[in-house]
Amino acid sequence: MAKTLNDIFLSNETKLKNKTALVTGASSGIGLATAAWLAREGVHLNLVARRRDKLTELKNEILDLYPDLRINLIPLDLMQKDFLSVLENENALDVDIFINNAGLARGRDNVSELNFTDLEEMIETNVTVAFKLASVVSRKMLKRSGGHIVNLGSIAGHYSYTGGSVYCATKFAVRAFSEALRQEFHDKNIRVSLVSPGMVKTDFSLVRFHGDNEKSQAVYDGVKALNSTDIARVILQTLKEPEHVNIDEIIVLPLVQAPVSYKVKRE
C-alpha cells in the first residue's frame, strides 16, 4: 500500500523555470497578476500593454524579487495595423507559453442602440487581434514541437445578457476558436486551455463605462467578487499540470454569482 500511495502522491507537475512567456494586457488586472505569478516560477517574460509606465513599474518590482529573469517590455497598442511586425521585431512571439489575455468590454447598450465605435473596438481587440496572435504564436510552437496557449474567455462566452450582446458574442467566438485550436493540436504536443472567469474586480468595468468610476464601482458594490490573483493562480495551475494533462476549459466564478441567471448576492 505504501508504494501505491507514493505513486499517487508523486509530483510530476510541468516545470516552468526558464520557460519564456508572452502576456498581453500585462499592465493591469489578470495580465499583471499572471505575469507576477509566472515570474515567481522563474519564467522569462515578454509583456505587452499600451501603458509604458505601468509596464516599467511592474518590471522593476519583479526584478527586485527575481533579478535573474529576462523581461522584455513592449509598449504597444494592439489596435495598430503593424502590431504583429512590432512583436516579431521584438522576438516576442517565439515562446513556450502564450497568455492571450488582452480584451475589453465597451458600453452596456441594447442592440437597437449600439455604439458602432464600441462594437468595432470589441471585435477588433477580443477577436481579430487575439486570433491573429494565436495563429502566429502557434505556428512558432509547431516548429518548437511544444507549447501552451491559454486564451482568456468569460462566463459571457456561455451565457448572454442584456446590454452585453457584442461582448458576449466575442467571448462565444473565443470559446469556439479555442475548441477548434485544441482539436488541431491534440497530437502536436501543444496544449490549449480556455480560462473563463465570472465577475472579477479589475479595471474591466471602468473600461466598459469609459472611465465612469461611479458606474464602475456600482457593479461591485456589496459583492465579494473574484480578484485578478484568483484567476492568475488558476492559470498558473493550468500551466503546471503534468504534460499529458490538458485543461480544456475552466470556469471560475465567485461563490455569490449564479451563472445562468446572472444573479449576484449583494450584502
Side-chain angles (χ1 to χ4, degrees), residues 39-168:
R40 189 184 185 203
E41 294 292 319
V43 177
H44 305 295
L45 299 169
N46 294 293
L47 303 180
V48 180
R50 285 176 294 184
R51 296 178 288 183
R52 180 187 295 272
D53 57 334
K54 295 293 185 181
L55 288 177
T56 301
E57 184 180 342
L58 175 60
K59 177 179 179 177
N60 291 339
E61 288 193 34
I62 289 174
L63 290 179
D64 281 344
L65 295 173
Y66 313 109
D68 295 331
L69 291 185
R70 297 190 305 274
I71 302 179
N72 182 23
L73 302 185
I74 305 129
L76 176 65
D77 185 346
L78 293 174
M79 295 280 283
Q80 287 180 213
K81 295 299 182 185
D82 65 341
F83 77 94
L84 286 174
S85 297
V86 174
L87 293 172
E88 284 277 17
N89 291 338
E90 292 284 347
N91 194 30
L93 299 171
D94 191 4
V95 293
D96 304 292
I97 298 164
F98 175 34
I99 309 299
N100 200 359
N101 168 70
L104 51 79
R106 286 289 196 191
R108 283 294 302 266
D109 299 330
N110 289 339
V111 172
S112 60
E113 301 170 337
L114 281 176
N115 179 309
F116 288 171
T117 299
D118 289 349
L119 179 153
E120 290 166 4
E121 186 176 7
M122 282 186 277
I123 291 175
E124 181 70 17
T125 305
N126 300 358
V127 178
T128 305
V129 168
F131 291 6
K132 286 181 177 179
L133 282 168
S135 176
V136 176
V137 169
S138 64
R139 204 172 305 155
K140 294 180 182 296
M141 286 182 174
L142 284 169
K143 291 180 180 179
R144 283 174 169 253
S145 298
H148 198 156
I149 295 171
V150 179
N151 292 319
L152 264 293
S154 171
I155 191 62
H158 287 265
Y159 309 104
S160 299
Y161 56 87
T162 299
S165 57
V166 178
Y167 177 72
C168 292

Side-chain angles (χ1 to χ4, degrees), residues 238-263:
T238 299
L239 295 169
K240 291 176 70 175
E241 286 298 317
E243 291 183 357
H244 70 285
V245 176
N246 192 91
I247 305 296
D248 282 28
E249 181 180 11
I250 186 164
I251 297 174
V252 190
L253 302 177
L255 178 62
V256 297
Q257 183 180 16
V260 180
S261 61
Y262 280 97
K263 290 180 178 177

